Amino acid sequence: MVRQNNQLAENLPQLQNLIKRDPASYKEEFLAQRQQLTNIMSVFQLAPEQSNKTINERVMFMAQVAQCYPKEMEDFPQQIIDLMQKHNTVLNNNIRMGLCKALIMLRNKNLLAPTDLLELFFQLLKCQDKSLRQFLESHIITDIKNMNVKHKNAKLNTTLQNFMFTMLKDSNSRAAKMSLDIMIELYKKNIWNDAKTVNVIATGCFSKITKIMVASLKFFLGKDPEEKDSDKSDSEEEVDPKDVIMANKFNKKTRKRAKVLSKVKKLAAKSYKKKSQAVAFNFSAIHWLHDPQGMAEKLFKQIEISNHRLEVKLMTLDVISRLIGLHNLFLFNFYSYIQRFIQPHQREVTRILQFAAQASHELVPPDVIEPLLKTLANNFTTERNSSDVMAIGLNAVKEICTRCPLSITEDLLRDLAGYKSYKDRSVMMAAKGLIHLFRNLRPELLHKKDRGRPNEATDEMEKLDYGKTDAKDFVPGAEVLLNEDHSEVSIELNSESESDDEQWVDVPHSDDGGSDEESDLDEEEEEDDTGRKILEPKRSKAEILKEKKSLAQKVTIERLLTDEDFKRIDLANVQKQMQSTKGSKRKLEEEALKNRDDLVKLSDIENIYKKRKHDKQTRLATVKEGQEGREKFGYKDGRVNIHCSKTNREKSKKKNAQMMRHKAHGKVKRSFKDKQIALRNHLLKLKKMK
């Protein structure tokens, strides 16, 4: 049936709406449009570089109604793909963008296989159209993410990863760089977080294209997003929002409570956001590498023969140092190469010192790192340098010795420890930090006066040897659980006797001033059956330590330790540093040997104990930063409605002092006669009222 005065052929939006409502009734109009588009495309291929607005409109119309006629549109997506593969680089930018949008629409309607579309888009990354490349990159990431939402599509992922691996070797630098960016973004989004992706990205570190090499190096230097907020105190995260909200509901409303409530709500929202995100770990990408030793050697060889800028060399050195420190690799030439740049006047010297510390580990022979430490001490820790340079040198020595404590000699350590009495505070504190470190690692290298008083923790310390592993078959400190069990029983018995006899009973406790070692070292007193005291000979430290070890092994084997038990053990291990074996207590020193991280923080090397002088502008900026979000200081208008009138007393507070001068004269002290008259008048008034 032919419609008279049919205007739908020229009004594509109306025809599109009608077809979606009733596809069968408007099939003839659709077929006419389909034939017309075929004719237009055949003519268009004769001059594909020219702009043609009609073809974009027709193609988008077909993509909108394609699901209504699946048989007739079965070969339509392949026609568009063939057209773009044949003329991808010569097509007009607007036409190319319109065809890509139409293909994406067909892909969203499941009328096109994902592999066909993604392979085409990867080929289009070679086009010199920046907006198109950004558009395609965003779509590829989103499409792959949506395909792996419910479950990982391993077959599709393998196909695309193989294709991207070939794209990284492509001669077109733009396409290779975009492919690398897509893989990195998919890894960050926890979609392609597998070993194959990491090792494909690792090949980019050896690319001849500088942009690809730098992007790959930055990927392996990536940090956990949580480290950005690491400077905030842990006490903020420990606040329970429910408790604060409930307390604010019933307590008196104050500005301070309102401020705390808003702060807690922000922290709760942030913690919820962190929990909803995928788990990310520092250096997780480096863990996936198949051959870290080979990669470190290739990168080191590359940096020796290349002529890149200093920034690129520093990034390469950073990756090498992380590989060495994390996987305990052997690359002895790296330390001699770093040694050449350890000079105070060297650019980015603190970062170079950071790399030296990161590349240190316990398996490196001490004679390999020893020349590095001597060079560091000779060039930095000398009185001809400034105090800041000396402090940085001492901090670097401390960080290196934390990871390789056998690398320093006794003479060098004692020379550096002598700066504990230096006139400058920054150098003095850095030297004391080094002393505190070796009190916990190798106290025998220090002077006797620097070792501190021996405590239980130092008595249990074993001598460090190269290649020796300290593998224990028990939980150190577990013997404290037996003492706590006995103390709990004695407390219960004593509490019962106290309730019966109504008198105080001395209950022994593990936290009393006298330590167990003191009673063990002195002559122990016990009573026999007749009540007479028996003196036992005192035992040696070795016997005490052996007994504690056997008790700890017994507890570890016979009991299932809970979280509470581990907390008690940790507390007891901390108390060992407070309990002196010579009978007197000393304060707990600063914990020098912290939990060693794989990454050396630059702030640990640049840590200088000095109060910096600020100029006026810096001080004003600090003051203004502290005033942000704070209410304005001064008189606060307590009116509910700001348009209502004020009292005379409120108005007088803003008046000029000369205007209120006459009011002040009225407050002169009354004389005794005036007080008598006032009292008489008051009494007369009371008498009349009766």
Side-chain angles (χ1 to χ4, degrees):
M1 171 177 147
V2 181
R3 293 181 175 85
Q4 301 294 333
N5 299 326
N6 190 358
Q7 298 180 356
L8 292 177
E10 304 298 331
N11 193 350
L12 294 180
Q14 184 180 2
L15 179 59
Q16 173 184 324
N17 185 24
L18 294 174
I19 290 176
K20 289 182 177 180
R21 289 170 178 264
D22 189 4
S25 301
Y26 295 91
K27 187 174 182 179
E28 294 182 3
E29 286 78 359
F30 166 76
L31 293 175
Q33 293 292 334
R34 179 76 173 85
Q35 184 62 37
Q36 190 175 0
L37 176 61
T38 303
N39 299 335
I40 293 174
M41 290 180 66
S42 60
V43 176
F44 170 73
Q45 293 189 27
L46 300 176
E49 68 279 358
Q50 296 181 359
S51 177
N52 191 340
K53 188 177 180 181
T54 306
I55 192 170
N56 270 352
E57 295 177 353
R58 304 284 178 177
V59 170
M60 188 59 67
F61 167 77
M62 291 295 170
Q64 290 282 358
V65 299
Q67 74 277 9
C68 299
Y69 308 101
K71 292 184 179 180
E72 289 78 4
M73 297 293 291
E74 186 176 1
D75 57 343
F76 177 73
Q78 191 60 40
Q79 291 179 0
I80 304 295
I81 291 175
D82 295 340
L83 174 64
M84 298 190 72
Q85 287 179 342
K86 186 177 181 181
H87 307 289
N88 55 2
T89 56
V90 298
L91 283 174
N92 182 269
N93 291 343
N94 295 329
I95 294 178
R96 191 190 296 114
M97 180 67 79
L99 294 177
C100 289
K101 291 180 179 179
L103 289 174
I104 291 174
M105 187 175 296
L106 294 172
R107 165 72 187 93
N108 294 336
K109 296 177 179 181
N110 295 324
L111 299 176
L112 182 61
T115 53
D116 298 339
L117 181 62
L118 293 177
E119 289 181 4
L120 171 65
F121 282 178
F122 278 119
Q123 295 176 4
L124 292 179
L125 295 176
K126 302 178 183 179
C127 300
Q128 295 184 359
D129 187 357
K130 187 175 181 179
S131 60
L132 176 68
R133 292 197 301 270
Q134 292 177 349
F135 174 76
L136 295 180
E137 179 186 3
S138 176
H139 169 72
I140 291 172
I141 295 172
T142 305
D143 195 17
I144 296 176
K145 179 181 178 181
N146 293 335
M147 287 186 293
N148 292 273
V149 168
K150 295 183 179 179
H151 57 85
K152 294 290 182 70
N153 193 338
K155 185 177 180 180
L156 176 63
N157 292 337
T158 303
T159 304
L160 295 176
Q161 285 172 347
N162 294 334
F163 186 78
M164 285 189 178
F165 182 68
T166 58
M167 289 293 295
L168 280 176
K169 299 180 180 179
D170 196 273
S171 58
N172 191 303
S173 61
R174 292 191 184 93
K177 176 64 167 56
M178 192 67 71
S179 301
L180 179 64
D181 292 341
I182 291 171
M183 296 189 73
I184 292 174
E185 190 66 24
L186 289 172
Y187 182 88
K188 290 180 179 178
K189 290 182 178 295
N190 207 19
I191 300 170
W192 282 3
N193 56 342
D194 53 356
K196 185 173 183 179
T197 305
V198 173
N199 286 275
V200 169
I201 297 174
T203 58
C205 296
F206 311 104
S207 176
K208 296 181 180 180
I209 304 172
T210 307
K211 288 185 177 180
I212 296 177
M213 182 182 68
V214 170
S216 302
L217 292 174
K218 284 184 177 179
F219 169 73
F220 289 103
L221 296 177
K223 299 179 182 179
D224 193 351
E226 295 180 358
E227 286 192 0
K228 299 178 182 178
D229 302 330
S230 60
D231 55 343
K232 296 184 179 179
S233 61
D234 296 334
S235 59
E236 294 181 352
E237 301 294 339
E238 294 175 359
V239 178
D240 190 2
K242 294 182 179 179
D243 296 341
V244 179
I245 293 172
M246 188 62 65
N248 196 70
K249 183 177 180 181
F250 296 102
N251 293 339
K252 182 180 178 181
K253 305 298 186 294
T254 60
R255 289 193 300 272
K256 184 177 180 180
R257 287 200 178 101
K259 190 182 294 185
V260 171
L261 179 62
S262 62
K263 191 175 183 180
V264 168
K265 286 182 178 179
K266 290 180 182 178
L267 289 174
K270 188 182 294 184
S271 62
Y272 176 77
K273 187 177 180 181
K274 286 181 181 179
K275 290 179 181 178
S276 61
Q277 292 176 349
V279 180
F281 301 97
N282 291 335
F283 307 117
S284 57
I286 297 182
H287 284 92
W288 288 109
L289 292 172
H290 293 322
D291 185 15
Q293 180 72 39
M295 181 177 179
E297 292 176 356
K298 289 180 182 178
L299 286 175
F300 185 69
K301 184 178 180 180
Q302 177 177 286
I303 200 175
E304 286 184 320
I305 62 177
S306 65
N307 194 19
H308 293 296
R309 294 181 302 166
L310 178 63
E311 292 78 5
V312 180
K313 286 187 175 181
L314 290 176
M315 293 173 60
T316 308
L317 289 174
D318 198 356
V319 174
I320 295 173
S321 65
R322 295 187 182 193
L323 286 170
I324 295 173
L326 185 64
H327 293 279
N328 293 341
L329 306 179
F330 293 107
L331 192 63
F332 298 152
N333 294 336
F334 177 79
Y335 306 98
S336 58
Y337 182 83
I338 287 282
Q339 188 175 344
R340 296 184 295 174
F341 301 99
I342 299 181
Q343 298 289 341
H345 60 271
Q346 173 68 39
R347 283 176 55 195
E348 302 288 345
V349 66
T350 54
R351 292 191 60 194
I352 295 174
L353 296 177
Q354 179 189 15
F355 305 154
Q358 284 178 170
S360 303
H361 55 85
E362 296 177 353
L363 299 182
V364 180
D367 55 350
V368 175
I369 304 182
E370 184 179 346
L372 181 68
L373 289 177
K374 290 183 178 180
T375 303
L376 179 58
N378 294 333
N379 294 343
F380 279 78
T381 315
T382 57
E383 295 186 358
R384 66 175 180 268
N385 294 328
S386 64
S387 58
D388 292 353
V389 174
M390 296 175 65
I392 289 174
L394 289 170
N395 291 335
V397 172
K398 176 186 173 184
E399 293 299 326
I400 294 174
C401 293
T402 301
R403 289 155 178 79
C404 188
L406 298 173
S407 59
I408 193 169
T409 60
E410 182 178 355
D411 295 336
L412 179 58
L413 178 60
R414 293 190 176 185
D415 289 342
L416 297 179
Y419 287 100
K420 67 178 181 179
S421 57
Y422 195 72
K423 58 184 178 180
D424 189 84
R425 179 174 174 81
S426 59
V427 180
M428 177 188 67
M429 296 300 293
K432 286 185 177 181
L434 185 63
I435 292 173
H436 291 163
L437 172 68
F438 276 90
R439 279 179 179 174
N440 296 299
L441 288 178
R442 301 178 67 192
E444 67 275 4
L445 296 184
L446 296 169
H447 285 287
K448 189 174 182 180
K449 60 182 179 181
D450 294 334
R451 296 174 189 173
R453 290 177 179 172
N455 52 45
E456 190 176 350
T458 56
D459 291 342
E460 295 179 357
M461 189 184 306
E462 297 183 4
K463 186 178 179 180
L464 294 177
D465 292 324
Y466 176 71
K468 180 181 179 181
T469 57
D470 187 15
K472 291 183 170 49
D473 56 351
F474 62 94
V475 179
E479 70 277 359
V480 73
L481 299 178
L482 294 176
N483 298 333
E484 290 188 359
D485 292 343
H486 293 309
S487 63
E488 290 175 1
V489 173
S490 61
I491 289 173
E492 292 179 359
L493 294 175
N494 288 324
S495 61
E496 292 177 0
S497 61
E498 183 179 344
S499 61
D500 295 338
D501 302 337
E502 296 184 357
Q503 59 182 1
W504 292 98
V505 179
D506 294 333
V507 179
H509 197 273
S510 60
D511 294 337
D512 292 342
S515 61
D516 296 336
E517 290 78 7
E518 296 175 23
S519 59
D520 290 335
L521 292 175
D522 297 336
E523 293 183 347
E524 298 180 351
E525 295 183 356
E526 292 185 0
E527 293 185 358
D528 58 1
D529 299 336
T530 61
R532 291 178 299 178
K533 293 183 178 179
I534 301 175
L535 297 179
E536 292 185 358
K538 59 182 180 181
R539 294 172 292 174
S540 63
K541 293 182 181 178
E543 293 176 353
I544 296 173
L545 295 177
K546 186 176 180 180
E547 182 181 353
K548 287 189 174 183
K549 181 178 178 181
S550 61
L551 291 175
Q553 289 176 339
K554 180 181 179 182
V555 173
T556 305
I557 294 173
E558 296 180 355
R559 292 182 57 167
L560 292 176
L561 301 181
T562 61
D563 293 340
E564 293 296 330
D565 294 337
F566 281 109
K567 289 181 181 179
R568 295 175 186 173
I569 293 172
D570 294 338
L571 179 60
N573 290 333
V574 172
Q575 289 177 349
K576 288 180 181 179
Q577 300 181 10
M578 299 177 62
Q579 296 174 351
S580 174
T581 57
K582 289 192 175 182
S584 61
K585 287 190 175 182
R586 61 179 174 86
K587 294 182 179 179
L588 181 63
E589 296 178 351
E590 180 183 358
E591 190 177 355
L593 186 58
K594 301 178 181 178
N595 295 328
R596 196 193 78 178
D597 296 329
D598 296 324
L599 174 64
V600 179
K601 296 181 181 178
L602 192 61
S603 59
D604 293 339
I605 295 178
E606 296 178 347
N607 186 16
I608 298 175
Y609 293 87
K610 181 183 292 185
K611 188 175 182 180
R612 300 286 184 179
K613 292 183 178 180
H614 300 289
D615 53 359
K616 186 176 180 180
Q617 294 180 351
T618 308
R619 290 199 305 272
L620 288 176
T622 306
V623 171
K624 291 181 179 179
E625 183 179 356
Q627 292 176 350
E628 292 180 358
R630 191 178 70 183
E631 296 182 4
K632 187 177 179 181
F633 181 76
Y635 173 74
K636 296 177 179 59
D637 194 354
R639 293 177 297 169
V640 178
N641 185 6
I642 59 174
H643 301 290
C644 68
S645 60
K646 296 183 179 180
T647 61
N648 291 334
R649 186 177 180 183
E650 290 176 332
K651 292 177 182 178
S652 64
K653 292 181 180 180
K654 292 188 177 182
K655 288 184 179 180
N656 194 354
Q658 297 296 330
M659 297 175 62
M660 306 300 297
R661 189 175 181 181
H662 65 284
K663 295 281 187 182
H665 288 294
K667 297 181 180 179
V668 180
K669 187 176 180 181
R670 294 185 299 175
S671 64
F672 181 71
K673 186 177 181 179
D674 292 338
K675 291 181 180 179
Q676 284 182 329
I677 295 172
L679 179 59
R680 184 192 64 186
N681 295 335
H682 177 65
L683 294 174
L684 290 174
K685 187 177 180 180
L686 291 176
K687 190 175 181 180
K688 290 179 180 179
M689 291 177 62
K690 293 180 180 179

